[in-house]
Amino acid sequence: MKNLYILLIVFSIQFIQAQQQDLQRANRLFDKTYYSAAIPLYEKVNAKNQTLEVVQKLGDCYYYTNDYDKALEQYAYLISSKNLNEDFYFRYAQTLKAKGKYTEADKAMRDFFVASNNKEALEKLEKDIKNLKNVTAIGERFDIHNLALNTVNSEFGGVILGKNLIFAAVKKKPNLFDKTYKWNNESYLNIVSIPVKNANANDSIVSYFSKDLKSAMHESNAVFTKDGKTMYFTRNNSNNGRRGKNTYKISTIQIFRAELVNAKWNNIAALPFNSADYSVEHPALSPDEKTLYFASDMPGTLGSFDIYSVSINGSTYGNPINLGDKINTAKREQFPFVSKDNKLYFSSNGHEGYGALDIFVSEIQNNSFTKAVNVGLPVNSGYDDFAYYINSETKEGYFSSDRPGGKGKDDIYSLKETKDLLIEDCRQYIAGIITDVDSHLAVENATVVLKNSVNQEIEKAITATDGKFSFTIECEANYSIFVTKENYTGNSKSFKILSERNKCNDGSMEIRSMEIIKKEEQAALDKKIVADLLIAQQLKTAELVALEQKRKADAIELKEKKIAETNALNQKKKEDAIALEAKRLADLVAIQQLKKEKLAADQKATALASAKKKEKMAAIVAAEKDVVKDKDRLIIKTEPIYFDYNLWYIRKDSKIILNRVVELMKKYPEMVVEIGSHTDNRGTDKFNLDLSQKRADATRAYILEQGIPKNRISAKGYGETVQIVKCIPEDSCDEEQHELNRRSEFVIKNL
């Protein structure tokens, strides 16, 4: 027994040490921004010892690798914790926006600013939300299309050079020994080229732009002078052809310049303001090619990355200048582009947007910038939208995005601007005509007052000869209007104004002349006096006649009543005796008949219900290839629902399968389904039962999110209790047989 205790202590120490080692390694990878590599380690630690620090870092890893669904799961777990900073709430809000939950995202930031008493930030948030609503109100400003050249990997940053589209991409099928970028586990980027006319052809072939530029590191974001003889592009910091790292063991990004000499790109040189200590990336040229714009996290930035400009003086450069707070925020600004009409486009997650990186625009006027504005829908989405390029003359161009529905991680989309960016506050109108109740004519010189929800006067109008008035009002507010005129009655109306733009609300009202009212009141009074006198005389005569008639009638009625009561009493005694006996016999007969009828009705109803159910089951089985009979059960046959090892979250590939179940349930509104989750018999009975119940519950939660009422879907975890293949002992079955037992079934309980 003593030796057993010692072994248990040693095992526990080794287990704790292993966990600590995994956590330390994960933290080192996280600090190096190797998020994809850190995720499995954090998942392993989190499964055994869930702490707030591990959950937050795991959520951040998912966030930085754009897996917003999983990030939201981790952040939602943390949201009730205290001492969470603004950066956490910002990332939490971004994941909500990626799911289209804009109201919840705004509430999360609003609650944080209220709790931290940051009135200035709260005021800015409300203003930004209103501005974004105004942008949204424009509707879809662009026609966009996913290009055929996109693959399952990343393609982004398309620009035109002559008749070719130049962009950054990774190999479709990387070699075994190719390096991968540990941020997202993709191969390193190369600058590639394709004829513009082939960019949307299904059989398009992409070529390396120039093997002179190709290296073992990232190359991307190329920009060219108008003559096509000079280019700027982004590449990792390097030393003698190998990736260079700074003291923090991080390889920064730098901008390089190359010249086209004898049809080859030569004289490749790093720009003088590059540094191993910070990144300089995403070059863009002004129309006169005298200014280079770029993104950097160099010292002095307002946020993680800011947009800078630097003057170009032949082969020399001025000092980088931060574009200031009209462009840059405390968050991230990247991917600048300057159009021919001198507009600066860039991507930001700090300005108010639809989620993640959105594209914004600012006009350059005398070396200063107007306030940045969101370019709108559908170019911007809840995901990263960036690398905007447009020909301001044709209104056509490209942008990149990792939104759902694309072919790969980042895809290039073509765009065509179809609407101008005209941003206006939501406005409505209250207008009408003041008329006389009796004559129905317009009333001149009536005073109409507009008041807000707290009864404050906002505006006043005096009607002209046509009796008309009009007020311009804001949306999403409550208003009242009041009309008055000397020697007339007043009137009022109330309005609850919603968000519909330019709606005209009818404020027409009627008022009445006091003079006519007084004349009508006097005439009514005179008529009433005459009528009252006539009625009084008639009542007096009628009362006397009625009194005599009543006296005679009462005497006759009393005599007749006594006779009738005696006869009725005798007759009632006889009838009661006869009725009592008849009722007793009738009750016996009725009870027997009711029993027979109820039995027959019950049998008929049961047979009819059974026949209808069989007929309905047969019809559904015949109509739906996914609905099959299994012995005495009716089930929805689906492809296998896979879960990550020992987890129960619904995976992205499983959602597609579950959507078929949702489709059937929506098609048959009376269908009631039980989700049965089964495991193989490896592991303890309780563990398998708990795991299967969690998986069944997670599956039900997803189906409920798709709009299925909760009374139509139930979830039951069976663990290993119902096996297709009896694996006793458990090692008597191979993996394929265990997989048969490991399943989710959708049993139709009612139709």
Side-chain angles (χ1 to χ4, degrees):
M1 181 63 70
K2 182 178 180 181
N3 291 336
L4 178 60
Y5 286 142
I6 293 172
L7 286 172
L8 288 172
I9 292 171
V10 170
F11 177 77
S12 298
I13 293 172
Q14 290 176 337
F15 177 76
I16 293 171
Q17 288 177 339
Q19 272 200 319
Q20 291 175 341
Q21 290 173 353
D22 287 340
L23 180 58
Q24 290 170 357
R25 186 181 170 205
N27 287 338
R28 286 196 298 270
L29 293 170
F30 184 91
D31 292 339
K32 291 181 179 180
T33 69
Y34 292 173
Y35 301 118
S36 291
I39 285 174
L41 291 172
Y42 279 130
E43 288 177 338
K44 181 179 177 183
V45 173
N46 193 48
K48 297 176 180 177
N49 183 23
Q50 193 175 50
T51 66
L52 295 181
E53 178 189 4
V54 171
V55 172
Q56 182 162 351
K57 286 191 173 180
L58 179 57
D60 289 346
C61 286
Y62 290 138
Y63 174 82
Y64 290 124
T65 53
N66 294 350
D67 192 343
Y68 297 124
D69 286 340
K70 289 185 178 180
L72 183 57
E73 290 176 1
Q74 305 304 318
Y75 290 161
Y77 175 82
L78 293 170
I79 196 63
S80 60
S81 303
K82 296 181 179 179
N83 302 320
L84 296 171
N85 60 25
E86 182 177 349
D87 286 339
F88 166 79
Y89 276 90
F90 171 78
R91 290 191 293 273
Y92 176 55
Q94 293 293 301
T95 59
L96 287 169
K97 286 184 177 182
K99 300 296 291 180
K101 300 180 179 180
Y102 294 103
T103 301
E104 293 180 37
D106 293 338
K107 182 179 183 301
M109 295 306 301
R110 187 181 290 114
D111 290 347
F112 174 77
F113 291 141
V114 170
S116 57
N117 198 30
N118 192 339
K119 295 180 181 178
E120 183 179 349
L122 183 61
E123 183 178 346
K124 181 179 182 302
L125 174 67
E126 300 298 350
K127 186 176 180 181
D128 287 344
I129 291 172
K130 182 178 180 181
N131 287 339
L132 190 62
K133 285 184 178 179
N134 290 339
V135 173
T136 304
I138 301 173
E140 295 197 350
R141 296 187 55 240
F142 304 86
D143 289 332
I144 66 171
H145 298 282
N146 187 291
L147 295 183
L149 61 81
N150 292 310
T151 69
V152 295
N153 297 313
S154 288
E155 291 82 22
F156 67 89
V159 297
I160 298 296
L161 177 63
K163 296 182 179 180
N164 294 318
L165 177 65
I166 314 299
F167 59 97
V170 301
K171 288 183 179 179
K172 290 186 179 180
K173 295 182 179 179
N175 296 325
L176 177 63
F177 298 105
D178 280 354
K179 291 183 178 180
T180 58
Y181 185 34
K182 293 182 176 61
W183 182 304
N184 57 13
N185 275 344
E186 277 199 349
S187 299
Y188 276 54
L189 294 163
N190 294 296
I191 299 175
V192 298
S193 173
I194 188 173
V196 173
K197 64 181 182 179
N198 296 338
N200 213 26
N202 291 326
D203 57 350
S204 58
I205 299 176
V206 174
S207 305
Y208 287 120
F209 170 67
S210 172
K211 293 185 178 180
D212 304 324
L213 301 175
K214 188 176 179 301
S215 72
M217 290 162 289
H218 282 302
E219 280 98 20
S220 65
N221 299 102
V223 61
F224 301 87
T225 55
K226 295 173 186 175
D227 61 10
K229 295 181 179 180
T230 303
M231 71 176 291
Y232 296 88
F233 64 97
T234 297
R235 174 188 281 174
N236 288 94
N237 175 26
S238 60
N239 291 319
N240 298 322
R242 300 188 64 183
R243 191 158 58 108
K245 298 181 180 180
N246 58 22
T247 54
Y248 299 103
K249 296 184 179 181
I250 293 175
S251 177
T252 58
I253 305 298
Q254 299 184 349
I255 296 177
F256 289 76
R257 183 173 184 257
E259 296 177 344
L260 186 64
V261 181
N262 296 326
K264 289 189 176 183
W265 289 99
N266 292 318
N267 303 328
I268 301 171
L271 297 190
F273 45 85
N274 288 333
S275 172
D277 295 327
Y278 52 81
S279 287
V280 178
E281 59 188 21
H282 309 156
L285 284 168
S286 62
D288 61 7
E289 300 181 355
K290 294 180 180 180
T291 304
L292 181 71
Y293 295 88
F294 60 91
S296 177
D297 60 348
M298 65 175 61
T301 59
L302 304 183
S304 62
F305 273 84
D306 280 2
I307 307 297
Y308 286 79
S309 68
V310 64
S311 62
I312 303 174
N313 306 305
S315 60
T316 63
Y317 301 86
N319 295 320
I321 299 172
N322 189 297
L323 297 192
D325 59 8
K326 286 187 177 179
I327 302 299
N328 297 313
T329 69
K331 302 303 179 186
R332 180 161 58 112
E333 282 73 41
Q334 293 174 295
F335 298 98
F337 165 74
V338 181
S339 60
K340 293 179 183 178
D341 57 350
N342 229 27
K343 292 180 181 178
L344 171 66
Y345 295 88
F346 63 96
S347 290
S348 170
N349 63 359
H351 296 284
E352 184 65 21
Y354 297 99
L357 286 176
D358 269 14
I359 299 165
F360 294 82
V361 61
S362 171
E363 293 189 19
I364 306 174
Q365 300 174 348
N366 298 322
N367 294 323
S368 63
F369 299 88
T370 62
K371 177 178 173 55
V373 178
N374 192 298
V375 301
L377 302 170
V379 162
N380 286 326
S381 67
Y383 290 75
D384 282 339
D385 307 296
F386 58 100
Y388 187 90
Y389 170 89
I390 191 169
N391 183 327
S392 55
E393 296 172 351
T394 65
K395 302 293 185 180
E396 295 178 340
Y398 303 93
F399 75 101
S400 305
S401 179
D402 68 344
R403 66 188 63 190
K407 298 176 184 176
K409 295 185 177 179
D410 292 318
D411 280 1
I412 300 176
Y413 292 76
S414 65
L415 65 87
K416 170 81 173 177
E417 186 177 10
T418 58
K419 291 183 181 179
D420 292 334
L421 187 58
L422 297 177
I423 302 174
E424 300 174 327
D425 288 340
C426 182
R427 289 285 184 270
Q428 289 192 22
Y429 307 94
I430 298 176
I433 301 174
I434 305 302
T435 55
D436 185 285
V437 171
D438 300 293
S439 68
H440 304 297
L441 298 176
V443 177
E444 184 181 4
N445 293 325
T447 301
V448 185
V449 177
L450 173 69
K451 293 186 178 182
N452 60 18
S453 59
V454 293
N455 208 35
Q456 293 175 327
E457 182 177 318
I458 300 173
E459 192 176 347
K460 183 184 294 184
I462 306 298
T463 60
T465 54
D466 58 4
K468 292 182 179 180
F469 70 94
S470 178
F471 298 115
T472 301
I473 55 174
E474 294 183 357
C475 299
E476 299 183 85
N478 295 328
Y479 295 93
S480 297
I481 56 172
F482 301 83
V483 58
T484 58
K485 180 177 170 62
E486 187 176 358
N487 295 323
Y488 274 81
T489 58
N491 204 348
S492 65
K493 268 188 176 183
S494 295
F495 302 87
K496 184 175 182 179
I497 305 302
L498 302 179
S499 59
E500 181 181 349
R501 292 175 178 249
N502 299 319
K503 177 182 177 182
C504 186
N505 301 275
D506 183 16
S508 298
M509 292 180 286
E510 293 181 322
I511 56 178
R512 199 171 193 207
S513 169
M514 295 298 297
E515 183 179 350
I516 292 177
I517 293 174
K518 288 177 181 178
K519 288 180 180 179
E520 287 182 349
E521 288 176 347
Q522 185 60 50
L525 181 60
D526 294 342
K527 185 176 180 180
K528 184 175 184 302
I529 292 172
V530 174
D532 288 346
L533 289 173
L534 179 61
I535 291 171
Q537 291 175 354
Q538 291 173 343
L539 285 174
K540 187 173 182 180
T541 301
E543 285 175 357
L544 292 173
V545 173
L547 185 62
E548 179 60 21
Q549 290 176 344
K550 185 176 185 303
R551 185 185 65 78
K552 293 179 179 179
D554 287 345
I556 296 171
E557 181 182 0
L558 181 61
K559 182 177 180 180
E560 292 176 347
K561 182 178 180 182
K562 287 182 179 179
I563 297 171
E565 285 177 350
T566 301
N567 294 336
L569 183 61
N570 294 332
Q571 182 64 26
K572 186 175 184 305
K573 289 180 180 179
K574 293 179 182 179
E575 291 174 353
D576 286 347
I578 295 170
L580 184 62
E581 179 61 19
K583 183 178 183 303
R584 186 182 68 81
L585 295 174
D587 286 346
L588 288 175
V589 173
I591 289 171
Q592 294 298 324
Q593 183 63 28
L594 284 173
K595 286 181 179 180
K596 290 180 181 179
E597 291 175 353
K598 185 177 184 305
L599 179 60
D602 288 346
Q603 290 173 344
K604 183 177 181 181
T606 300
L608 182 60
S610 176
K612 285 184 177 179
K613 185 173 182 180
K614 288 180 179 179
E615 182 180 351
K616 193 171 185 181
M617 287 173 61
I620 291 177
V621 169
E624 306 293 345
K625 63 183 178 65
D626 297 330
V627 178
V628 298
K629 291 196 67 176
D630 179 20
K631 297 181 180 178
D632 58 342
R633 302 185 307 167
L634 197 60
I635 66 173
I636 300 173
K637 191 72 174 178
T638 68
E639 294 179 14
I641 305 295
Y642 293 112
F643 293 87
D644 289 338
Y645 181 67
N646 280 357
L647 295 178
W648 53 90
Y649 302 119
I650 300 301
R651 292 179 7 175
K652 189 173 183 179
D653 54 354
S654 297
K655 292 181 180 179
I656 299 172
I657 300 169
L658 291 177
N659 287 341
R660 176 54 182 158
V661 177
V662 173
E663 179 183 347
L664 283 171
M665 294 188 73
K666 288 182 176 180
K667 185 174 181 181
Y668 300 99
E670 296 178 358
M671 183 183 288
V672 178
V673 174
E674 177 192 88
I675 303 166
S677 180
H678 303 266
T679 68
D680 57 36
N681 65 342
R682 293 180 291 187
T684 66
D685 293 351
K686 185 178 185 305
F687 176 84
N688 286 334
L689 196 60
D690 290 344
L691 179 61
S692 66
Q693 187 61 51
K694 289 177 179 178
R695 288 176 172 174
D697 290 340
T699 304
R700 180 176 184 262
Y702 174 78
I703 293 176
L704 291 177
E705 289 177 356
Q706 311 313 306
I708 300 303
K710 61 183 179 180
N711 64 337
R712 292 184 54 209
I713 187 79
S714 61
K716 182 173 178 62
Y718 290 90
E720 62 185 69
T721 60
V722 183
Q723 297 191 21
I724 296 175
V725 180
K726 301 296 184 181
C727 297
I728 303 174
E730 65 182 43
D731 59 0
S732 65
C733 288
D734 57 25
E735 186 58 34
E736 183 176 355
Q737 291 172 317
H738 282 303
E739 186 173 336
L740 284 173
N741 288 331
R742 226 171 30 245
R743 67 200 186 276
S744 289
E745 295 181 334
F746 300 89
V747 182
I748 299 174
K749 290 294 187 179
N750 200 353
L751 291 172

